[in-house]
Amino acid sequence: MAPRTALVTGVTGQVGYYVADYLRRRGDKVYGLVRQTTLARQATLAADDMPYEPVLGDLLDEYSLMSLIERLQPDAIFNFAAQSFIPLSWMQPILTAQYTALGVVRLLESVRRVAPRARFLQAGSSEVFASCGTTPQNERTALSPRNPYGIAKAFALMTVRAYREQYGLAASNAIFYTNESPRRAPEFLFRKVTRGVAEIVAGRRQELTLGNLATVRDWGYSPDYAEAAVRIVEHDTPGDFVVATGEGHTVEALVAEAFGIVGRDWRAHVRHDSALERPSEIAPLIGDPRHVARTVGWQAGTRFAELVKLMVAADCHGLGVAPPWAAAAAASAL
């Protein structure tokens, strides 16, 4: 069953935005949940930049959610709303829990009471496996978070399972591994690297300061993961699904790739700062995507080197400079 009307929370972020865009392009009616403060900011956006109709609501307010869902009667609800910046989750652990954990309870209670036929997708995180000690991780890996964000995501994942089993809701968990796009905020590591490279190319800086270069992550492309989310929701049997590329790369590999494609030696520009390292480094987070591939026919289409090049190019263009390989190609064509 393809949902014809969808409600997407966290629609101003990465995967939520691309889900809305994916659904709109195929002709579905898409509503994006926003708070009043967000709505005011979005008033300046062109219609083409907003692939959804904004509707007011707040994950802290169960009544607003229930009233909205009752009125819209969506076929599918995609929940991407969360406080997702891990350092901030240590500074605001209660607010992180309210949005990222209890917000899911409020949504599911609203679905149970006023739209029990709606299909529901909860955006999970690989951070729920931070201390698991095994690599790669799959849907049966024990939950072992190590920070308030991961703890909140583990609570949400278990809540979805409980509501699915107790009330028969068509509620699924998509356990997303780290994913990137030009919509990624600059404080996140991958974007910090690619934007830093672009700023060096543009002559705006000469040095990039980073923490632990040995950290391993499974990096994917957000639009690919948006397609996975839609496929999971439309699958006849709800469940839990690891969404990942299945490939792990160190931060050093990311840095070397990003600098290498612009013809620079990363060692001349990267400075290590131990203050930027996590107090307790997590295990290598690499997802096993075989279940999602077998069940819904999804696999990552954008691999690591392509993703790095895509992101460096986007950041170069954002700063008004052509990526060096584009300039070289133009010169060779003359």
Side-chain angles (χ1 to χ4, degrees):
M1 186 226 26
R4 306 310 302 172
T5 301
L7 174 65
V8 183
T9 74
V11 74
T12 60
Q14 287 199 112
V15 185
Y17 176 91
Y18 291 116
V19 164
D21 187 60
Y22 182 98
L23 295 174
R24 182 193 64 165
R25 289 179 184 276
R26 73 176 195 186
D28 291 3
K29 179 65 177 178
V30 184
Y31 296 95
L33 184 74
V34 297
R35 290 178 290 169
Q36 181 64 51
T37 53
T38 304
L39 185 62
R41 293 197 305 270
Q42 291 190 324
T44 61
L45 295 178
D48 290 344
D49 295 329
M50 192 185 298
Y52 54 89
E53 179 180 328
V55 289
L56 287 174
D58 196 316
L59 263 66
L60 298 183
D61 180 7
E62 183 180 348
Y63 179 76
S64 73
L65 298 175
M66 193 173 301
S67 298
L68 178 64
I69 292 171
E70 184 175 31
R71 175 170 63 86
L72 298 180
Q73 287 296 308
D75 299 299
I77 299 170
F78 298 82
N79 181 38
F80 293 95
Q83 191 302 101
S84 59
F85 189 48
I86 292 170
L88 186 58
S89 78
W90 285 109
M91 298 171 62
Q92 298 180 334
I94 296 174
L95 186 62
T96 297
Q98 284 288 350
Y99 273 110
T100 309
L102 294 180
V104 179
V105 180
R106 298 182 185 103
L107 273 172
L108 287 170
E109 272 295 293
S110 299
V111 171
R112 179 178 76 85
R113 292 172 183 270
V114 300
R117 296 182 182 275
R119 298 187 177 203
F120 183 89
L121 181 120
Q122 167 61 22
S125 168
S126 59
E127 286 288 336
V128 301
F129 301 134
S131 299
C132 68
T134 60
T135 301
Q137 300 86 36
N138 60 35
E139 294 79 7
R140 296 177 299 280
T141 301
L143 304 184
S144 52
R146 294 183 73 168
N147 55 66
Y149 169 71
I151 292 167
K153 282 294 188 180
F155 179 97
L157 186 151
M158 294 299 294
T159 300
V160 169
R161 287 179 179 173
Y163 271 70
R164 183 171 67 223
E165 296 168 2
Q166 178 70 19
Y167 299 115
L169 296 183
S172 294
N173 286 299
I175 306 171
F176 290 109
Y177 277 63
T178 309
N179 55 91
E180 311 295 335
S181 78
R183 295 186 61 82
R184 179 61 119 173
E187 63 266 22
F188 288 85
L189 174 64
F190 198 104
R191 190 72 188 277
K192 180 179 179 180
V193 170
T194 60
R195 185 171 178 83
V197 168
E199 289 176 344
I200 289 170
V201 169
R204 299 191 180 189
R205 66 192 297 180
Q206 290 299 317
E207 188 175 79
L208 180 63
T209 305
L210 298 172
N212 188 355
L213 298 182
T215 298
V216 176
R217 292 292 181 272
D218 182 332
W219 280 295
Y221 186 39
S222 300
D224 289 347
Y225 287 19
E227 180 185 348
V230 174
R231 289 194 182 204
I232 290 168
V233 159
E234 294 178 355
H235 185 61
D236 289 337
T237 305
D240 301 336
F241 301 86
V242 164
V243 179
T245 71
E247 299 177 358
H249 300 274
T250 64
V251 175
E252 181 176 325
L254 166 62
V255 170
E257 185 73 27
F259 278 96
I261 61 178
V262 300
R264 307 255 183 155
D265 181 355
W266 67 271
R267 296 174 185 83
H269 298 281
V270 173
R271 182 175 67 85
H272 174 257
D273 184 352
S274 59
L276 297 178
E277 297 183 10
R278 292 192 191 185
S280 55
E281 188 52 59
I282 63 176
L285 292 179
I286 304 171
D288 179 353
R290 287 179 293 178
H291 176 60
V292 72
R294 289 192 302 262
T295 307
V296 306
W298 177 89
Q299 60 181 0
T302 306
R303 294 298 175 177
F304 179 70
E306 182 183 357
L307 176 61
V308 177
K309 190 171 185 178
L310 181 157
M311 291 291 288
V312 171
D315 281 321
C316 284
H317 286 305
L319 295 174
V321 297
W325 62 86
S332 66
L334 295 178

